[in-house]
Amino acid sequence: MLQEESKPPKTSLIRVTKKIAILAGCENLAISNNRMKGYLKTLYENEIRPDKNHIIHCNFNQQYAYEAAKELLAMKHEPDAIFTISDRIAIGAMLAIKEKKNEHAS
């Protein structure tokens, strides 16, 4: 007897987070495109509709990523989470998140 193919298990982050942004790399780089495909595939598998406003292409510059994350965090419907495709982009995003957190604490 053949078993039915099951859906991949949802991760705990996906279960509670519905608005997931991405700071993607340059559109002309294969690595950026591959990671973007993985991001979109995961959203679709978890029945989450991607928001084009939550997709920002940037180079691998920490300062640019910081500015892009600030842009995401200033939106009326800001994302619940930000996925980044590199460590350098992640550091820029974390600095923006930390700055916003400190502003709200004041």
Side-chain angles (χ1 to χ4, degrees), residues 10-23:
K10 294 182 180 183
T11 64
S12 58
L13 176 63
I14 296 293
R15 287 185 194 147
V16 298
T17 305
K18 296 294 182 192
K19 297 181 293 183
I20 304 171
I22 183 171
L23 294 181

Side-chain angles (χ1 to χ4, degrees), residues 79-90:
D80 300 322
I82 300 174
F83 174 72
T84 64
I85 68 158
S86 77
D87 291 345
R88 192 173 293 157
I89 293 173

